[in-house]
Amino acid sequence: MTDNKRILKNTLMLYIRMFISLSISLFTTRVIFQALGLADMGLYNLVGGVLSMLGFLNNSMSVATQRFLSYDLGKGDSLELKKTFGLILTIHICLAISIFLLAETIGLCFVNNHLQIEPERIGAANWVYQVAVCSMIISVLQVPFTASIMAHEKMGIYAYFSLIDVFSKLAIVYALLYLPGDRLIVYSLLLFATNLLIFLFNIGYSLKSFSECGFHISWDRKRFIQIFSFSGWNMFGQVTLIANDQVLNIFLNWFFGTIVNGARGIALRINGIVVQFVSQFQAALNPPIVKGYASGDMEGTRKLVKRGMKLCFLLMLILSTPFLIETDLILTLWLGESPQYTVWFTRLCLINTLIDTMTGPINTCIQATGHIKKMQIGITSILIFILPLSYIILYLGAKPYYVVCINIIVSFIALYYRLHILQRETGFSCMNIIKDTIIPCYFAAILSLSIATGIHIFINAHSIIAGVVIAITSFLTACAISYLFALDQQEKAFILSLLNKILTKLKKQKQ
């Protein structure tokens, strides 16, 4: 099976999973919001966010794990692959122990002494925190097995396990309405039970399906240094990303309280739902990029990176345009109300993510080279400015969502720095990527949003039906402009061929 067909097949499997997940998530979020309330929802995001700051260790190792497993698969060295898995499992066991110790000392102290939590909710906050610690531990131990599934490009299995997770969370929503006790505590306990179930499924499938997987502890000093160096520099970048997210959450808590944390949490949840569409494509794209580089197919890798950047951006643009234009309507239909600041948090988060979507294929290609030191130092030096600048504007009395404006400006700078590093490490022309990929995408985005905004102003909707019409029109406008102005002739031919195949299959099924 060619790379394009395999990527397409894997992406479709992940999209099926995502459509079901999205439908259920839209329902469950509204019910959870109504069941917990904005304050408890903000408390859950705040306390869980503290632990996620410790999760930078796990995040960096997760990226390293998938990179090294995919690289060994690309080289076709099964013996080296087995050694790599055993070493990675050993590292993750040690990592789980380290995170537990940090969480129960520094993390616990921070929750109880440095967060603005109502005195009557301190007990619930500690319950949520301890359950989150347990969830973090099992997620660390699960990484080598999930990475093996992704490296082997078994996206169907990954999708099945994700659907089990989604339907379990649907069951949690109904249970939350009827079970006695503090709903915030009950919610966190049921989520842990779901995480444990998925953990067991991932391990069971990997042990049965992949010869390299097993509970064998191995040690290779040279390989460990390679993995440790790669994950160490990746960790350097992860610390900055988590700090930008969670420290901003703490800043907002200090200046505005848990209500604004809840508003930002809702915005990030909406952003996360939209991003799922792009992340599924990115997940299917990552292994072929690493394997292509490992096998020496530089021209094929270059094409994958350029098309990956373009398609990630356009997918995000098409899906986010209705949310950007009809944010208030969508929030009202979804939650029953539109909490203060949530509209602007949502719009600005989506714009920031739209810029960041292009960085995925670039990062993967640079990681495939194994030389990520310069990228991580540079990106960290750029992104770290978000925190002091955000604190200053909040101190001066700015609206809470202005912190996302700072993030947007810095994201632009970081994107072009990544392109510079990509050119230095792989020889891919930075100007060629800007001309063939970035400029057409930005033009399509500006034109799509301008037309959609014009339609919104012209209709001046005051009803749900009119708002829905505007949202659908915005979606179709973004689709048409993306096709006409952003895709080249080969990409247009591929899209038409794909649509033709889908229509042919549908006709056969009807007959």
Side-chain angles (χ1 to χ4, degrees), residues 141-176:
L141 298 176
Q142 180 179 310
V143 165
F145 301 95
T146 303
S148 292
I149 294 173
M150 300 297 285
H152 283 276
E153 300 184 61
K154 300 295 183 181
M155 304 306 177
I157 295 300
Y158 175 76
Y160 294 146
F161 289 161
S162 298
L163 288 176
I164 293 173
D165 178 56
V166 169
F167 282 110
S168 297
K169 288 176 180 176
L170 179 61
I172 286 173
V173 169
Y174 284 105
L176 197 62

Coordinates of all heavy atoms in Angstrom, one line a residue, residues 141-176:
L141 N 2.7 4.7 32.1 CA 3.0 3.3 31.8 C 2.4 2.8 30.5 O 2.8 1.9 29.9 CB 2.5 2.4 32.9 CG 3.2 2.7 34.3 CD1 2.5 1.9 35.4 CD2 4.7 2.5 34.2
Q142 N 1.3 3.5 30.0 CA 0.7 3.1 28.8 C 1.4 3.6 27.5 O 1.2 3.0 26.4 CB -0.8 3.7 28.8 CG -1.6 3.4 27.6 CD -3.0 4.0 27.7 OE1 -3.7 3.8 28.7 NE2 -3.4 4.8 26.6
V143 N 2.2 4.6 27.7 CA 2.9 5.3 26.5 C 3.6 4.3 25.6 O 3.4 4.4 24.3 CB 3.8 6.4 27.0 CG1 4.8 6.8 25.8 CG2 3.0 7.6 27.4
P144 N 4.5 3.4 26.1 CA 5.2 2.5 25.1 C 4.3 1.7 24.3 O 4.6 1.4 23.1 CB 6.1 1.7 26.1 CG 6.2 2.5 27.3 CD 4.9 3.2 27.5
F145 N 3.2 1.3 24.9 CA 2.2 0.4 24.2 C 1.4 1.1 23.1 O 1.2 0.7 22.0 CB 1.3 -0.4 25.2 CG 2.1 -1.2 26.1 CD1 2.5 -0.7 27.4 CD2 2.5 -2.5 25.8 CE1 3.2 -1.4 28.3 CE2 3.3 -3.2 26.7 CZ 3.6 -2.7 28.0
T146 N 0.9 2.3 23.5 CA 0.2 3.2 22.6 C 1.1 3.6 21.4 O 0.7 3.6 20.2 CB -0.4 4.4 23.3 OG1 -1.2 4.0 24.4 CG2 -1.2 5.3 22.3
A147 N 2.3 4.0 21.7 CA 3.3 4.4 20.7 C 3.5 3.2 19.7 O 3.7 3.5 18.5 CB 4.6 4.8 21.3
S148 N 3.5 2.0 20.2 CA 3.7 0.9 19.3 C 2.6 0.7 18.3 O 2.8 0.5 17.1 CB 3.9 -0.4 20.1 OG 5.1 -0.4 20.8
I149 N 1.4 0.9 18.8 CA 0.2 0.9 18.0 C 0.2 1.9 16.9 O 0.0 1.7 15.7 CB -1.1 1.0 18.8 CG1 -1.3 -0.2 19.7 CG2 -2.3 1.2 17.9 CD1 -2.4 0.0 20.7
M150 N 0.6 3.2 17.3 CA 0.7 4.3 16.3 C 1.9 4.1 15.3 O 1.7 4.3 14.1 CB 0.9 5.6 17.1 CG -0.2 5.9 18.0 SD -1.8 6.2 17.2 CE -1.5 7.8 16.5
A151 N 3.0 3.6 15.8 CA 4.2 3.4 14.9 C 3.9 2.3 13.9 O 4.4 2.4 12.7 CB 5.4 3.0 15.8
H152 N 3.1 1.3 14.2 CA 2.7 0.2 13.3 C 1.5 0.7 12.4 O 1.1 -0.1 11.6 CB 2.3 -1.0 14.0 CG 3.5 -1.8 14.5 ND1 4.2 -2.7 13.8 CD2 4.1 -1.9 15.8 CE1 5.2 -3.3 14.5 NE2 5.2 -2.8 15.7
E153 N 1.1 1.9 12.7 CA 0.0 2.5 11.9 C -1.3 1.7 12.0 O -2.1 1.6 11.0 CB 0.4 2.7 10.4 CG 1.6 3.7 10.3 CD 2.0 4.0 8.9 OE1 1.1 4.5 8.1 OE2 3.1 3.6 8.5
K154 N -1.6 1.1 13.2 CA -2.8 0.4 13.4 C -3.9 1.4 13.9 O -4.3 1.3 15.1 CB -2.6 -0.7 14.4 CG -1.6 -1.7 14.0 CD -2.1 -2.5 12.7 CE -1.1 -3.6 12.3 NZ -1.5 -4.3 11.1
M155 N -4.3 2.3 13.0 CA -5.2 3.4 13.5 C -6.6 2.9 13.7 O -7.3 3.5 14.5 CB -5.2 4.5 12.4 CG -3.9 5.1 12.0 SD -3.0 5.7 13.5 CE -1.4 6.2 12.8
G156 N -6.9 1.8 13.1 CA -8.3 1.2 13.4 C -8.4 0.8 14.8 O -9.4 1.1 15.5
I157 N -7.4 0.1 15.3 CA -7.4 -0.3 16.7 C -7.4 0.9 17.7 O -8.1 0.9 18.7 CB -6.2 -1.2 17.0 CG1 -6.3 -2.5 16.2 CG2 -6.1 -1.6 18.5 CD1 -7.5 -3.3 16.5
Y158 N -6.5 1.9 17.3 CA -6.5 3.1 18.1 C -7.9 3.8 18.2 O -8.3 4.2 19.2 CB -5.5 4.0 17.5 CG -5.4 5.4 18.2 CD1 -4.8 5.5 19.5 CD2 -5.9 6.5 17.6 CE1 -4.8 6.8 20.1 CE2 -5.9 7.7 18.2 CZ -5.3 7.9 19.4 OH -5.3 9.1 20.0
A159 N -8.6 3.8 17.0 CA -9.9 4.3 17.0 C -10.9 3.6 17.8 O -11.7 4.2 18.5 CB -10.4 4.4 15.5
Y160 N -10.8 2.2 17.8 CA -11.7 1.4 18.6 C -11.6 1.7 20.1 O -12.5 1.9 20.8 CB -11.5 -0.1 18.3 CG -11.8 -0.5 16.9 CD1 -11.1 -1.5 16.3 CD2 -12.9 0.1 16.2 CE1 -11.4 -1.9 15.0 CE2 -13.2 -0.3 14.9 CZ -12.4 -1.3 14.3 OH -12.7 -1.7 13.0
F161 N -10.3 1.7 20.5 CA -10.1 2.0 21.9 C -10.5 3.4 22.3 O -11.1 3.6 23.4 CB -8.6 1.8 22.2 CG -8.1 0.4 22.2 CD1 -6.7 0.2 22.1 CD2 -9.0 -0.6 22.3 CE1 -6.3 -1.2 22.0 CE2 -8.5 -2.0 22.2 CZ -7.2 -2.2 22.1
S162 N -10.4 4.4 21.4 CA -10.8 5.7 21.7 C -12.4 5.8 21.8 O -12.9 6.5 22.6 CB -10.4 6.7 20.6 OG -9.0 6.7 20.5
L163 N -13.1 5.0 21.0 CA -14.5 4.9 21.1 C -15.0 4.3 22.4 O -16.0 4.7 22.9 CB -15.1 4.2 19.9 CG -15.0 4.9 18.5 CD1 -15.5 4.0 17.4 CD2 -15.8 6.2 18.5
I164 N -14.3 3.3 22.8 CA -14.6 2.7 24.1 C -14.5 3.8 25.2 O -15.3 3.9 26.1 CB -13.7 1.5 24.4 CG1 -14.0 0.4 23.5 CG2 -13.9 1.1 25.9 CD1 -13.0 -0.8 23.6
D165 N -13.4 4.6 25.1 CA -13.2 5.7 26.0 C -14.4 6.7 26.0 O -14.9 7.1 27.0 CB -11.9 6.4 25.7 CG -11.6 7.5 26.6 OD1 -11.6 7.4 27.8 OD2 -11.4 8.7 26.1
V166 N -14.8 7.0 24.8 CA -15.8 8.0 24.6 C -17.2 7.5 25.1 O -17.9 8.2 25.9 CB -16.0 8.4 23.1 CG1 -17.3 9.2 22.9 CG2 -14.8 9.2 22.6
F167 N -17.5 6.3 24.8 CA -18.8 5.7 25.3 C -18.8 5.5 26.8 O -19.8 5.7 27.5 CB -19.1 4.4 24.6 CG -19.7 4.6 23.2 CD1 -18.9 4.3 22.1 CD2 -20.9 5.2 23.0 CE1 -19.4 4.5 20.8 CE2 -21.4 5.4 21.7 CZ -20.7 5.0 20.6
S168 N -17.6 5.3 27.4 CA -17.5 5.2 28.8 C -17.8 6.5 29.5 O -18.4 6.6 30.5 CB -16.1 4.7 29.2 OG -15.9 3.4 28.7
K169 N -17.3 7.6 28.8 CA -17.5 8.9 29.4 C -19.0 9.3 29.2 O -19.5 10.1 30.0 CB -16.6 9.9 28.7 CG -15.1 9.7 29.1 CD -14.2 10.7 28.4 CE -12.8 10.4 28.8 NZ -11.8 11.2 28.1
L170 N -19.6 8.8 28.2 CA -21.1 9.0 28.1 C -21.8 8.4 29.2 O -22.7 9.0 29.8 CB -21.6 8.5 26.7 CG -23.1 8.6 26.5 CD1 -23.5 10.1 26.4 CD2 -23.5 7.9 25.1
A171 N -21.4 7.2 29.6 CA -22.0 6.5 30.7 C -21.8 7.2 32.0 O -22.6 7.3 32.9 CB -21.5 5.1 30.8
I172 N -20.6 7.9 32.1 CA -20.2 8.6 33.3 C -21.2 9.8 33.5 O -21.6 10.1 34.6 CB -18.8 9.2 33.2 CG1 -17.8 8.0 33.4 CG2 -18.5 10.3 34.2 CD1 -16.3 8.4 33.2
V173 N -21.6 10.4 32.4 CA -22.5 11.6 32.4 C -23.8 11.2 33.0 O -24.3 11.9 33.9 CB -22.7 12.2 31.0 CG1 -23.8 13.2 31.0 CG2 -21.4 12.8 30.5
Y174 N -24.3 10.1 32.6 CA -25.6 9.6 33.1 C -25.5 9.2 34.6 O -26.3 9.5 35.4 CB -26.2 8.5 32.3 CG -26.8 8.9 31.0 CD1 -26.1 8.7 29.8 CD2 -28.0 9.6 31.0 CE1 -26.7 9.2 28.6 CE2 -28.6 10.0 29.8 CZ -27.9 9.8 28.6 OH -28.5 10.2 27.4
A175 N -24.3 8.5 34.9 CA -24.1 8.1 36.3 C -24.0 9.3 37.2 O -24.4 9.3 38.4 CB -22.8 7.3 36.3
L176 N -23.4 10.4 36.7 CA -23.2 11.6 37.5 C -24.5 12.2 38.0 O -24.6 12.8 39.0 CB -22.4 12.6 36.7 CG -21.7 13.8 37.4 CD1 -20.7 13.3 38.4 CD2 -21.1 14.7 36.4

